[in-house]
Amino acid sequence: MLRDITIGQYYPADSILHRLDPRVKFIVTIVFIVSLFVNNTWTAYLVSTVFLAAVIKISKVPFRFIVKGLKAVVILLMITLFFNMIFTPGTPVFHFWIITITKEGIVTAVRMGIRLIFLIIGSSLMTLTTTPNQLTDGLERLLKPLEKIKIPVHDIAMIMSIALRFIPILLEETDKIMKAQIARGADFESGGLMKKIKSMVPLLVPLFISAFRRANDLAMAMEARCYHGGSGRTQMKPLRYHGRDFGAYIIAAIYFAVCILMRIFGRYLL
Amino acid sequence: MSIKLEHVTYTYNPGTVYEMHALKDVTLEIPQGQFVGIIGHTGSGKSTLIQHFNGLIKPTEGKVLFENQDVWAENYELRKLRFQVGLVFQYPEHQLFESDVMSDVCFGPANEGLTQEECRERAKEALNHVGISEEYYDKSPFELSGGQKRRVAIAGVLAMNPKVLVLDEPTAGLDPEGRKEILDQIAWLHETRGITIILVSHSMEDVARYVERIIVMNEGEKSFDGSCKEVFSHYKELEKIGLAAPQITYIMHALAAKGLDVDLSAITVEEARDSILKALGKEKPCSEILP
Ligand SMILES: Nc1ncnc2c1ncn2[C@@H]1O[C@H](COP(=O)(O)OP(=O)(O)O)[C@@H](O)[C@H]1O
Ligand SMILES: [Mg+2]
């Protein structure tokens, strides 16, 4: 029941995208997100759509799987679009009570919607094709320079990778405890809000206890293997750039350059 | 009055890369009052199988019948089924959540809609049956030892007065003494309450001396189903799927192969001793001969 959440989930497949260096994927994702906000013409959105579609195709992740991740944020998306629509001044097209929808509002909302959806698809594509471990490795390497100003980059990366690792474990645990309590006649579905909140106690208490127990065990296991933070720690699979990684950088750079050019010469485009 | 599974197939995460066929065409019937052991290697589908018994998961294909009614039929009250088929999960102590033992055991009966008085009655009886004495009633479940916690958790299911009690590896993680204690208590429950008991385990030795019927699971399929004697006679096949018959079975088969007329269905050391002595023509057990 909780397994529908795909954000932050890894989808194993054999594609170039999966094999790319996590640093590349991270930077290209950021470039892509920035490009969405550089875009201000429909032509530019079309270019971004083509770029995204091509990446999805290469990734070998089924489209259906990517869309499933969108479901979780649909409400958030709706609210954003709604407020964009009613709070943008301009030529009114629709009026009801105190709400006025304007032509400009609709355009802004549609653009905002496209940006948000692309943003979510783009970033989930990164997490779907990169294992959590690779992701934090990449992040650690990218942020390494910050150690100069005394930011504990390694520790932050380690916390992140443990947190990511724990998400599926805790989901599984939730599933198990939920089933165990349902077997004792617990009812998580019916009743009003108060009753629903109360019915969560038999789920949440064991879940917290289990999370603390696991954290404790993990800390012990790490200490037993002499973990003492990042200094002097080597990696089993150090990150190294390959030809394909430079290729990906070049393609992303070209894409971004096109986006900027379209922005500059926007007035000649649709 | 029975649990019936007809051609049950169960697939986890169908249609994704994580697709896993956990059960494949399982058909079985467990009559009321039987003491059954379900045995199989880790990952053979035991836990998946038993979650069908009280309607926690819906078979991908096939039917589950309780007392001849399809539990996945449109208007079947699944919640009522859960009070009749009590399911004790593996490591049940992980589901304890109340501040004291009494309230935790009362959780099941209270969900059934009983009054506080009735709940307490049921809880007392259940705790008594698993050997938790009155002095523990007001203690926090988290202060108890591992074995005690588990017994409190079992009492939590028992307090619903189920007709069928299913236990998933109730002895996992306990020391030999704790294991024997729990199993003895379960056997005693079977006798006094006359309920069906379905005991899941990956250890033949544990289960063999208690149950009257063994169902062997292997890679999601039911590979053997019958009395202990029948199942253990396949000890060579059992070995191939990572299980072993009780050690006594091996000795008895070896002796029989040498031409000694011993009882191949012996499971405990005592039974084996008596049977060997009889085959050798000596009626009296050693202990009675020795000074
Ligand atoms: N919640 C789940 N999601 C996906 N696969 C599962 C889940 N639970 C069990 N499985 C898989 O189904 C198979 C059978 O598991 P299970 O019924 O737990 O076996 P057993 O109890 O005999 O060890 C295993 O291969 C296991 O990995
Ligand atoms: Mg199991």
Side-chain angles (χ1 to χ4, degrees):
Chain A
M1 34 194 123
L2 289 161
R3 281 159 206 275
D4 290 339
I5 301 167
T6 53
I7 293 175
Q9 206 179 333
Y10 177 64
Y11 184 94
D14 183 27
S15 77
I16 294 188
L17 213 59
H18 284 77
R19 269 171 281 154
L20 280 183
D21 190 289
R23 287 170 290 182
V24 178
K25 284 187 258 188
F26 209 84
I27 290 174
V28 173
T29 307
I30 290 174
V31 166
F32 178 70
I33 290 172
V34 172
S35 80
L36 291 176
F37 291 88
V38 169
N39 289 349
N40 64 346
T41 55
W42 296 115
T43 322
Y45 283 117
L46 187 68
V47 172
S48 293
T49 311
V50 170
F51 181 75
L52 190 62
V55 176
I56 291 175
K57 183 86 188 122
I58 294 169
S59 76
K60 291 192 187 162
V61 179
F63 188 61
R64 170 168 61 77
F65 205 79
I66 299 171
V67 175
K68 234 166 77 180
L70 274 178
K71 271 196 223 152
V73 286
V74 122
I75 305 235
L76 195 74
L77 203 64
M78 286 302 181
I79 294 174
T80 320
L81 294 195
F82 178 72
F83 281 109
N84 258 299
M85 221 168 333
I86 61 168
F87 284 131
T88 314
T91 357
V93 281
F94 183 77
H95 189 80
F96 172 73
W97 190 37
I98 53 164
I99 298 169
T100 312
I101 294 175
T102 61
K103 191 164 156 251
E104 285 76 5
I106 294 174
V107 172
T108 319
V110 170
R111 286 192 178 175
M112 195 53 119
I114 293 176
R115 276 180 186 162
L116 285 177
I117 291 173
F118 280 19
L119 189 152
I120 293 163
I121 293 181
S123 35
S124 43
L125 210 51
M126 172 180 72
T127 53
L128 282 168
T129 59
T130 320
T131 62
N133 272 341
Q134 281 184 324
L135 207 61
T136 43
D137 266 8
L139 202 63
E140 187 177 348
R141 278 289 283 278
L142 282 175
L143 298 179
K144 202 103 195 169
L146 293 182
E147 270 178 355
K148 293 245 157 49
I149 52 167
K150 295 265 181 310
I151 290 178
V153 173
H154 169 79
D155 302 65
I156 293 171
M158 183 56 94
I159 291 170
M160 250 186 69
S161 67
I162 291 174
L164 286 175
R165 181 71 195 84
F166 265 45
I167 290 173
I169 293 179
L170 287 181
L171 283 181
E172 204 170 297
E173 190 85 11
T174 312
D175 206 51
K176 244 189 232 163
I177 297 171
M178 215 161 178
K179 276 183 179 167
Q181 305 297 27
I182 290 175
R184 293 167 77 190
D187 186 1
F188 293 108
E189 265 129 43
S190 62
L193 187 64
M194 274 325 277
K195 192 163 169 267
K196 261 191 186 154
I197 292 174
K198 247 180 106 181
S199 74
M200 281 312 197
V201 173
L203 175 63
L204 292 180
V205 173
L207 193 61
F208 270 101
I209 293 172
S210 138
F212 279 116
R213 186 181 51 238
R214 280 176 194 282
N216 218 347
D217 290 352
L218 182 66
M220 194 97 85
M222 284 169 81
E223 233 161 48
R225 286 190 267 168
C226 302
Y227 177 77
H228 58 88
S231 59
R233 206 168 118 88
T234 54
Q235 276 181 314
M236 194 159 101
K237 293 180 193 155
L239 293 177
R240 232 174 252 130
Y241 280 127
H242 296 270
R244 56 175 179 258
D245 298 314
F246 296 114
Y249 274 139
I250 291 168
I251 293 170
I254 293 173
Y255 162 75
F256 195 59
V258 169
C259 284
I260 289 181
L261 286 177
M262 283 190 293
R263 171 85 184 210
I264 295 171
F265 300 105
R267 67 201 119 107
Y268 306 116
L269 297 171
L270 199 62
Chain B
M1 290 291 278
S2 68
I3 295 177
K4 227 188 267 179
L5 263 58
E6 288 175 0
H7 305 286
V8 167
T9 294
Y10 189 81
T11 310
Y12 284 106
N13 310 310
T16 71
V17 269
Y18 300 104
E19 186 169 274
M20 175 81 224
H21 300 285
L23 286 183
K24 297 165 205 155
D25 194 25
V26 175
T27 298
L28 54 83
E29 179 171 1
I30 297 173
Q32 184 63 31
Q34 209 170 42
F35 196 160
V36 190
I38 297 181
I39 302 199
H41 204 259
T42 307
S44 58
K46 306 181 296 289
S47 302
T48 309
L49 176 67
I50 58 165
Q51 286 175 44
H52 284 90
F53 294 161
N54 72 342
L56 271 180
I57 52 182
K58 185 175 177 177
T60 314
E61 270 167 58
K63 267 189 189 169
V64 181
L65 300 144
F66 182 68
E67 298 180 340
N68 287 325
Q69 279 181 298
D70 185 350
V71 308
W72 289 102
E74 192 85 9
N75 46 10
Y76 191 87
E77 282 192 72
L78 266 180
R79 221 168 143 236
K80 286 211 173 119
L81 173 67
R82 309 228 161 97
F83 297 111
Q84 301 192 57
V85 181
L87 179 55
V88 180
F89 273 82
Q90 197 169 3
Y91 298 108
E93 58 273 24
H94 292 174
Q95 82 209 10
L96 300 174
F97 67 97
E98 280 283 6
S99 51
D100 60 285
V101 168
M102 192 51 158
S103 328
D104 209 289
V105 178
C106 282
F107 181 65
N111 285 328
E112 214 174 334
L114 301 187
T115 65
Q116 212 178 348
E117 271 311 299
E118 288 169 314
C119 288
R120 277 190 78 86
E121 273 315 305
R122 289 267 196 99
K124 269 187 192 163
E125 194 189 16
L127 282 165
N128 190 17
H129 281 179
V130 296
I132 296 284
S133 59
E134 211 156 319
E135 63 195 282
Y136 292 103
Y137 288 4
D138 294 324
K139 284 207 170 157
S140 159
F142 304 105
E143 286 172 32
L144 308 180
S145 75
Q148 286 170 329
K149 270 189 211 165
R150 186 159 305 176
R151 276 189 265 163
V152 169
I154 294 175
V157 172
L158 209 52
M160 304 190 303
N161 273 357
K163 288 183 196 162
V164 179
L165 183 64
V166 190
L167 300 117
D168 195 355
E169 311 223 3
T171 58
L174 294 182
D175 53 68
E177 201 174 322
R179 284 221 299 255
K180 191 169 176 325
E181 253 175 26
I182 291 250
L183 290 173
D184 281 345
Q185 219 121 36
I186 292 167
W188 182 81
L189 277 174
H190 177 243
E191 263 167 43
T192 46
R193 289 199 173 202
I195 54 180
T196 310
I197 303 243
I198 302 171
L199 185 63
V200 175
S201 176
H202 60 262
S203 151
M204 281 284 185
E205 213 97 12
D206 259 5
V207 165
R209 67 184 75 212
Y210 298 98
V211 302
E212 49 193 286
R213 170 180 171 198
I214 292 181
I215 297 170
V216 178
M217 296 296 298
N218 182 39
E219 296 187 354
E221 286 175 55
K222 188 177 86 168
S223 51
F224 297 106
D225 181 356
S227 68
C228 296
K229 186 178 170 180
E230 277 164 34
V231 171
F232 292 154
S233 66
H234 298 282
Y235 65 105
K236 294 214 172 94
E237 287 106 311
L238 288 177
E239 250 174 26
K240 279 200 201 104
I241 58 175
L243 295 167
Q247 287 173 350
I248 294 296
T249 307
Y250 289 86
I251 296 176
M252 299 311 253
H253 275 88
L255 288 173
K258 295 266 182 215
L260 202 62
D261 180 27
V262 290
D263 176 14
L264 291 175
S265 65
I267 287 161
T268 63
V269 176
E270 289 76 23
E271 283 168 14
R273 179 195 64 191
D274 292 346
S275 158
I276 293 170
L277 283 170
K278 201 169 147 208
L280 291 172
K282 296 178 189 163
E283 281 297 330
K284 274 186 186 164
C286 309
S287 56
E288 286 162 41
I289 301 168
L290 287 174

